Every structure is written in C-alpha cells, then in structure tokens.
Amino acid sequence: MVEPKNQPSDRDESLRDLDAAIASRAWDAEHEPDFMAALPTMLTRQELRMLAFLARHLRGSGPILDLGCFVGGSTLALAHGVLSSSRPDRMIHSFDLFELNEAVKHRFLYSKGLPLFPGEDGLELFSILTASAASIVRPYKGDVLETLPAGLQALSDPPALVFLDLCKSPGLTDMITRTVFPRLKPGAIIVQQDFIYEFTPWATYPFWVLKDRIDLLGHCDHHSVVFRVREPIPAADAERACLGSSGTARLIRSLEEVAQWLPFATQRRVLADAARLLERHPQAHDEWTLMTAARRDRGQHDRLAPWRVLIAGVGEDTGR
C-alpha cells in the first residue's frame, strides 16, 4: 500500500503534541522543585517552571542559548529540565556581563534572605549556583556584542532553544535578530522574556515583522512569550526585522497589533502602556531611560524622598 505523500511524520506529531502542551501552559501543572523558591533571579517562579518544562521536552539535538542569565537562575532551571530529559548531555551556553553592584545584590539576593556575597564578580556566584550542572553549562562573561558572535561561531549545531532576557535596548535587540535568528532551523523555540514589559517596547518588533516565519505558541502571565520558528529566516529577512531607521509610529503600530495576540487584558494593557510611554519619550533608547521617564511621569522622580522626610523639621521652632 502506498502511503500518502503528505502524511505527517512522527516528528511532526511530536511537535504538535509539544505545541499543544505549551499552549495549555502544561508547566503550571508540574511539580516545582524546592530550589526554585530560593534562586536569586529576576524571573517569576512560573517562568522558571516554563524553562524547565521546555528544556525537558525539547526536540532535536541542538544546544540551548541563555542570553541574559544574571547569576544563573534561568540556567539552573534549564539545566534541571535538561538533566531529566532524554538528552541529559545537551549543552547550555549562558551569556551575561556577570557584574554585581550593591543595589542589585540587595534587591535580588539579600531580599530573599540569602547570605552576604562579597565582591562584584557575578560569574563566581553563577559557578556556585550551577555547580551541579557544570558538565552541561558554559558561561560567557562580558559584553554580549562581543561574546555572542564568537560563541555562535563555535557552535557545531544550530540552537534548539533560545531564551532572550537582554533586549534592553534597540541596538541589542537588532544585534540578536541579525546574529541569532538566521541560525535557527524550523522547529527551534524562542522565548522572549521582555515581550510583555512596558520598558522594552522594541522587544516585540522582530516577532511582528517575522510573523509569517515565527509562530506564537504560548505565554506566561507576565513577561515571557514562547515562539517556534516555522520557516527558515534568511539574513535579509532578519535585517528587515531590525528596528534600524523604523520610526516611532511604526513601532507603536507593531505594539498595538502584537497586543491582540495575547489573551489576557492585563497583558494587552502592558503593551498599551509601552506604546504610550514610547509616544511620550521617543528618544529613550534603553530600559533604564524609559523606566526613569515613567517615574517622572508618575511623580516618582525623587527616589530619595523617603530619606528626606527623616530630617524634616531640623531647625524649626519646637514650641518651647
């Protein structure tokens, strides 16, 4: 008997099963390991479970790129999934500046009750936290504009999963679009952590431009959205998806259209806020500048105001 030529392959069926699991956010029903609650990370617990789930069920043999890993929270969640998968030797390549200052340590380490960490070398802390997965983890310290192109050249296989958490400026977003996207094969997964976030309005743009080549599969409640590459992304198309000289009006249009891809009103509201913020501050070209501008708009520009209250009344008449 001759089989129909267009009969789905086992791989196609497997991908459809995984896509359905992602769409239903199957990670919400999975057991959360205890270590996730203590991790110093900027991610939500739901995002950590999502990364572990994706790494555990990832298809293909390619490595994982963890772009913007901070001190290893995302890397360890990914490693947890890899080590419990059918490919426990899959490599994870983690990129970050690995720099810590006191403000960051207080916000993301000490606020969780973690002990004092001396110095500013985030790579040292990363190595401690990911020691149990050291055999499958390779960190790259430094400016990603320099480390990422060299790291990609050294890969023997195209990435199977890319976790993006460093699109903090249009320039960084364009660099990743140019250097990473054309290397991805159909079936590869991209997680954009800056997608549902008002202070990185440019992070959604490449996915809007490439919507005929990249499919949205699922999302977390906040920040992260999961995509799958459906068609190869030629370098010319990746260049077209860069912000480059795209004006504010086109970027705002993309945000308005992308918002309709998301099911929750709270998610759409975040992107609407991003569009309004961009319209008010079109010259802001990084996350921190936009965040500072938003504080000013909300009357929160003086972050030291609580300290000034402490000395109010010095030298005034005490009534005696």
Side-chain angles (χ1 to χ4, degrees), residues 105-125:
K105 287 192 284 186
H106 276 277
R107 182 176 178 186
F108 297 105
L109 275 63
Y110 307 152
S111 65
K112 290 198 168 190
L114 296 170
L116 179 71
F117 182 79
E120 299 181 349
D121 186 3
L123 183 56
E124 183 180 6
L125 182 53

Side-chain angles (χ1 to χ4, degrees), residues 35-316:
F35 75 85
M36 287 186 179
L39 279 180
T41 180
M42 302 180 190
L43 306 180
T44 67
R45 302 262 285 278
Q46 186 187 47
E47 288 177 304
L48 294 173
R49 293 196 305 272
M50 176 264 297
L51 290 177
F53 174 87
L54 293 177
R56 182 178 303 115
H57 298 284
L58 193 59
R59 303 296 186 258
S61 59
I64 294 172
L65 297 184
D66 186 3
L67 306 183
C69 61
F70 186 41
V71 293
S74 54
T75 301
L76 197 56
L78 289 164
H80 179 70
V82 168
L83 293 173
S84 58
S85 75
S86 61
R87 292 183 179 270
D89 59 346
R90 190 189 302 272
M91 289 297 298
I92 302 170
H93 299 267
S94 301
F95 295 77
D96 207 283
L97 285 172
F98 291 110
E99 294 178 354
L100 295 175
N101 58 41
E102 289 305 312
V104 167
K105 287 192 284 186
H106 276 277
R107 182 176 178 186
F108 297 105
L109 275 63
Y110 307 152
S111 65
K112 290 198 168 190
L114 296 170
L116 179 71
F117 182 79
E120 299 181 349
D121 186 3
L123 183 56
E124 183 180 6
L125 182 53
F126 175 94
S127 299
I128 293 170
L129 293 174
T130 62
S132 61
S135 63
I136 61 167
V137 171
R138 180 176 179 183
Y140 299 74
K141 180 177 182 177
D143 187 342
V144 71
L145 293 172
E146 300 175 0
T147 59
L148 182 57
L152 287 172
Q153 289 292 339
L155 297 183
S156 57
D157 294 306
L161 187 157
V162 179
F163 179 59
L164 297 177
D165 189 12
L166 50 66
C167 294
K168 311 305 182 185
S169 71
L172 275 172
T173 304
D174 283 354
M175 187 276 289
I176 291 166
T177 304
R178 285 192 185 101
T179 59
V180 176
F181 283 28
R183 294 177 178 271
L184 302 178
K185 302 297 183 184
I189 288 178
I190 308 172
V191 180
Q192 175 51 281
Q193 200 274 338
D194 293 307
F195 202 90
I196 312 172
Y197 184 49
E198 67 179 299
F199 302 122
T200 53
W202 42 78
T204 62
Y205 186 77
F207 299 91
W208 177 68
V209 175
L210 297 170
K211 56 184 176 289
D212 58 336
R213 296 184 178 275
I214 301 176
D215 294 328
L216 188 153
L217 299 183
H219 56 85
C220 290
D221 291 340
H222 307 285
H223 307 300
S224 288
V225 175
V226 185
F227 297 86
R228 186 185 295 285
V229 176
R230 174 164 39 90
E231 301 287 343
I233 304 172
D237 280 17
E239 188 62 36
R240 182 170 57 88
C242 293
L243 291 118
S245 59
S246 299
T248 301
R250 181 169 169 81
L251 185 50
I252 290 175
R253 177 189 162 199
S254 74
L255 286 164
E256 292 171 346
E257 293 188 12
V258 163
Q260 302 311 308
W261 300 356
L262 301 170
F264 299 151
T266 51
Q267 297 170 328
R268 297 192 294 272
R269 195 175 305 124
V270 169
L271 294 188
D273 290 343
R276 283 191 290 270
L277 188 58
L278 185 64
E279 189 172 25
R280 286 195 299 268
H281 306 283
Q283 301 306 314
H285 293 304
D286 62 78
E287 176 193 22
W288 179 250
T289 302
L290 268 182
M291 196 178 294
T292 303
R295 287 197 184 104
R296 285 198 302 269
D297 292 347
R298 297 164 185 166
Q300 301 170 335
H301 59 284
D302 187 0
R303 293 188 298 146
L304 298 179
W307 287 94
R308 302 184 202 285
V309 174
L310 296 179
I311 51 140
V314 173
E316 294 180 2

